[in-house]
Amino acid sequence: MPRPPAPKPARPAPNPSPPQGRARWPEARHYAALDLGTNNCRLLIARPQGSGFTVVDAFSRIVRLGEGLASSGRLSDAAIERTIAALRICADKLKRRHVALSRAVATEACRQAANGPEFIQRVYRETGIVLDIITAEEEARLAVLGCHALLEPGDGPALVFDIGGGSTELVLVDSAGEHPRILDWHSAPWGVVSLTEARGITGDHDPKLRAAGYARMRESVAEAFAPFIARLPAVSGTPRLLGTSGTVTTLASVHLGLPSYDRSAVDGLIMPAASMRAVSQRIAGLDMKGRSAIPCIGAERADLVVAGCAILETIMDIWPAERLGIADRGIREGILRRLMGSRAQ
């Protein structure tokens, strides 16, 4: 079986020949970042603008790559087919946008799966995309790099978190300087997919069983967070909390009563932690039908959102901030900032 070339931090994207009569493409180069998680496949294509960038194309699809992984230890055939179908769309966008430099990363599902390397090879053969399986530490660093600009000003360290499909990253940062400095980080093996599959609620129509299942989820998350909790310093100043994930953006949408998701209303929102806790508890108390009926949750997210609520509530327990920042940005934006920061001047 042919092997793809060794993944690199950044690689030139395939470029067709420039149009006739031109020596090269215009200076406005496009850069791309692809984040393949346990639940989602997300692509962002952007061009530099000032000290940041302007998005020119994006793609996001729930692929559930890690579905069944907790019990089998492998990526299932159905999950692989769904994911490759999404990656073909991404590959087409990369070609059509003449991307100059790109990076594609895979996270927890590919780190854990016995057939992860085989999957990476197949992706390369069928789409031309080289996926780089990154460590949990790099995942945390990229998430912070992508969203730290939304941290509220303040003294003392802040906690940034990313609730994924297969894991949750907690990062303690010092934001006093121009760039955030990571003081400590922790990766817990519970995300919305892994926690749902391992500790999912049984007896969905029985309120008592739902409550017991939710408590069980919270206990498992608290146990996984315990080593990090033991290392946390005494909180100085005003605790600050910033979350980047589908969980926090979905729950923020519910809090705002949005009829459909609106990134402009959610990204950068600062909301009372008590309100987010109330939303989490309300959703966790509903059965599947009730959750599916809520705009911005729907049937697609109804089975996983309760696990997200359990993880989020546990995070708010360990870092008692009065306000919670919401970021609809993270790993992809972190990758783009690295790529653009390394471009030739």
Side-chain angles (χ1 to χ4, degrees):
M1 182 181 294
R3 290 181 174 273
K8 300 178 180 178
R11 65 184 182 92
N15 259 337
S17 300
Q20 190 172 6
R22 273 185 177 168
R24 55 193 174 88
W25 291 106
E27 289 298 324
R29 304 174 74 193
H30 288 170
Y31 296 76
L34 190 153
D35 170 20
L36 178 60
T38 302
N39 198 43
N40 290 278
C41 174
R42 298 185 179 98
L43 171 71
L44 210 55
I45 301 175
R47 64 172 179 266
Q49 184 173 49
S51 61
F53 55 81
T54 297
V55 174
V56 298
D57 205 348
F59 173 79
S60 179
R61 178 176 291 180
I62 293 177
V63 294
R64 302 204 178 198
L65 178 61
E67 187 174 64
L69 177 62
S71 58
S72 69
R74 298 178 61 83
L75 304 175
S76 72
D77 291 342
I80 289 173
E81 294 301 330
R82 288 194 300 266
T83 303
I84 289 181
L87 290 171
R88 286 195 182 103
I89 296 173
C90 294
D92 182 61
K93 286 180 176 288
L94 291 171
K95 291 175 184 175
R96 287 191 291 108
R97 292 290 182 176
H98 308 303
V99 171
L101 198 63
S102 67
R103 190 183 185 197
V105 303
T107 56
E108 187 68 14
C110 290
R111 286 196 293 261
Q112 295 293 330
N115 58 339
E118 177 186 332
F119 166 72
I120 297 297
Q121 292 176 349
R122 182 177 168 189
V123 167
Y124 175 70
R125 290 198 310 271
E126 298 189 18
T127 71
I129 293 173
V130 178
L131 280 169
D132 180 9
I133 303 178
I134 58 174
T135 65
E137 181 177 7
E138 184 175 5
E139 182 179 354
R141 290 182 180 276
L142 287 171
V144 170
L145 182 61
C147 73
H148 75 90
L150 296 181
L151 272 171
E152 289 188 279
D155 298 325
L159 185 64
V160 179
F161 64 90
D162 182 359
I163 302 172
S167 64
T168 293
E169 276 61 53
L170 305 172
V171 191
L172 193 66
V173 301
D174 176 359
S175 61
E178 183 180 353
H179 302 289
R181 183 169 63 91
I182 294 180
L183 303 173
D184 197 0
W185 71 279
H186 180 74
S187 181
W190 297 125
V192 296
V193 175
S194 56
L195 186 60
T196 298
E197 292 189 352
R199 302 286 188 271
I201 296 173
T202 56
D204 184 66
H205 297 292
D206 185 326
K208 290 184 178 179
L209 289 177
R210 287 201 302 271
Y214 189 64
R216 192 165 57 246
M217 284 182 173
R218 298 256 276 127
E219 289 172 3
S220 295
V221 175
E223 289 175 7
F225 287 173
F228 183 69
I229 295 171
R231 300 194 305 267
L232 282 175
V235 177
S236 60
T238 302
R240 291 170 294 150
L241 191 58
L242 176 64
T244 166
S245 68
T247 291
V248 294
T249 56
T250 296
L251 297 185
S253 300
V254 175
H255 167 72
L256 295 173
L258 300 179
S260 60
Y261 186 71
D262 180 357
R263 184 182 187 274
S264 65
V266 172
D267 185 53
L269 176 69
I270 304 293
M271 59 182 291
S275 297
M276 185 61 98
R277 192 181 290 275
V279 170
S280 298
Q281 293 176 351
R282 176 165 69 88
I283 290 172
L286 297 172
D287 61 12
M288 184 75 77
K289 183 178 179 181
R291 298 192 298 273
S292 298
I294 298 176
C296 298
I297 294 181
E300 195 171 42
R301 294 179 174 85
D303 59 334
L304 302 180
V305 69
V306 174
C309 292
I311 296 168
L312 177 58
E313 275 212 83
T314 309
I315 292 171
M316 292 191 291
D317 287 345
I318 69 173
W319 196 253
E322 293 184 0
R323 291 148 62 91
L324 171 63
I326 311 296
D328 185 354
R329 58 181 81 179
I331 292 174
R332 292 174 304 166
E333 288 79 3
I335 291 172
L336 286 174
R337 291 191 179 280
R338 281 193 179 172
L339 292 180
M340 293 179 186
S342 66
R343 72 185 189 275
Q345 298 298 318

